[in-house]
Amino acid sequence: MGTAPQLFVIDPIARLNPAKDSSVALMQAAQRAGVPVWAATLADLSAGPAASDAVAGHSCWVWATPVTSCEPWFTTGEPQLLPLQRFGAVWMRKDPPVDEAYLYATHLLELAERQGVRVLNRPAALRAWNEKLSALRWSHLMAPTLVASQVETLAAFAAEHGEVVLKPLGGRAGQGVVFAAAGTPGLRALLELVTAQQTLPVMVQAFLPGVAAGDKRILLVDGEPLGAVNRVPSGGAGGEFRSNLAVGGQPQATELSAAERAICAELAPALRAEGLFFVGIDVIDGRLSEINVTSPTGIREVERLGAIPLADLTIARLLQS
């Protein structure tokens, strides 16, 4: 791949927080490796016969400064319409929701992939690997889990396990995740709400009290775990059990246990086979919870707390592959 430029398909660059954003960390690492960096949004992608069916983007050259606290932290050049074949790699790092615009973008990027462009992560896998449902491929590694729309089915699961967590399948960053117990007043009304009157499936899992000790985000590059951060719920008067950093979870340095390494090893062949180069998995109390493939976060926290140059290691692995 050499030092061919890399394109990052992201949210508008001015919205990114350089002190926390993993895409910024990767862009800066690419530059340190001597790789020119360009950026585009979903709306910048196009395809058509005028370009011999090539997929192109109104991309901007980006210089992301190494000091993350400066303002502004980046400069850009004038947008140019470039075929994606010009890039050594295209990173699809647009944050969820996985809506129509996102799905159409994966189809456009898949056209580019057919023309020899390396897209990270692979567009077909981004569509197929729902970040909640994909973990069910390894249900034996998870807490007891059910996905259903019918209130009676969900209520019976809650009755069996006592305390449960409800997760919308399209949620992100802990949004919409709800704790409930079999005896919770209005449980059926809650289930009607989260299933949109029994029209949408929802994931329900047995509650793991071990989440109080943290929810571990493990970042895998080409199937290999290169770093992790433990996210501890804030707790407090509201009894917040969610550990996501976006809802107040506190990051802590951590090491991987033998059981967590075993989980990574079991997932690795499928991740590699389906073109999932950069992935973040969540593990609670030794149980697999989610597999994040759209725009996994956590690089900054791993680098700061673990003194691991994770972004540089990721770009080095990419350039060697």
Side-chain angles (χ1 to χ4, degrees):
M1 183 179 296
T3 55
Q6 295 183 13
L7 174 66
F8 286 77
V9 181
I10 51 177
D11 288 292
I13 194 167
R15 298 182 190 173
L16 305 187
N17 182 344
K20 296 182 178 181
D21 196 275
S22 292
S23 294
V24 177
L26 291 167
M27 288 191 283
Q28 292 173 331
Q31 289 177 170
R32 287 193 291 270
V35 176
V37 170
W38 293 65
T41 66
L42 300 187
D44 293 323
L45 300 175
S46 61
S52 301
D53 292 324
V55 180
H58 281 88
S59 311
C60 292
W61 168 83
V62 176
W63 177 256
T65 58
V67 181
T68 59
S69 59
C70 68
E71 288 290 344
W73 64 270
F74 67 93
T75 55
T76 62
E78 289 297 319
Q80 299 180 39
L81 184 62
L82 299 174
L84 297 194
Q85 292 92 330
R86 287 276 301 272
F87 298 99
V90 175
W91 289 85
M92 176 51 158
R93 292 278 308 173
K94 169 70 175 68
D95 284 342
V98 179
D99 54 13
E100 280 188 287
Y102 186 99
L103 292 173
Y104 292 149
T106 67
H107 287 292
L108 290 172
L109 291 172
E110 194 165 26
L111 290 174
E113 189 178 52
R114 291 177 181 275
Q115 297 162 9
V117 178
R118 186 171 187 183
V119 183
L120 311 168
N121 287 318
R122 184 173 293 166
L126 291 175
R127 292 193 300 271
W129 286 60
N130 174 277
E131 298 185 338
K132 305 293 190 301
L133 291 174
S134 59
L136 287 171
R137 301 187 187 200
W138 295 272
S139 59
H140 61 285
L141 300 176
M142 302 173 69
T145 299
L146 172 72
V147 176
S149 304
Q150 296 298 316
V151 165
E152 290 303 323
T153 304
L154 295 166
F157 183 92
E160 178 183 357
H161 295 282
E163 296 180 328
V164 297
V165 174
L166 301 166
K167 297 180 177 181
L169 299 182
R172 61 178 293 267
Q175 296 172 359
V177 177
V178 177
F179 171 85
T184 298
L187 175 61
R188 280 173 168 72
L190 173 63
L191 295 174
E192 291 171 358
L193 177 65
V194 298
T195 61
Q197 301 299 317
Q198 305 188 101
T199 62
L200 289 177
V202 66
M203 176 175 282
V204 57
Q205 292 180 311
F207 177 69
L208 296 174
V211 73
D215 174 353
K216 197 169 291 189
R217 164 60 57 87
I218 305 171
L219 293 170
L220 297 93
V221 178
D222 198 24
E224 181 181 349
L226 294 187
V229 60
N230 194 39
R231 304 167 298 178
V232 180
S234 59
E240 179 60 76
F241 70 96
R242 295 174 299 174
S243 56
N244 306 75
L245 301 182
V247 294
Q250 297 302 306
Q252 294 180 345
T254 190
E255 300 288 338
L256 295 186
S257 68
E260 290 160 347
R261 290 191 178 279
I263 291 173
C264 294
E266 188 164 344
L267 270 57
L271 299 180
R272 293 192 186 104
E274 299 201 30
L276 292 167
F277 179 79
F278 189 75
V279 171
I281 68 170
D282 297 337
V283 177
I284 301 172
D285 198 18
R287 303 288 190 94
L288 177 65
S289 176
E290 294 184 15
I291 303 175
N292 297 273
V293 302
T294 50
S295 58
T297 61
I299 289 180
R300 292 298 197 200
E301 290 76 18
V302 170
E303 292 183 333
R304 176 169 57 87
L305 296 169
I308 298 171
L310 184 55
D312 293 290
L313 292 173
T314 301
I315 295 298
R317 183 67 60 89
L318 175 60
L319 295 176
Q320 293 165 5
S321 62

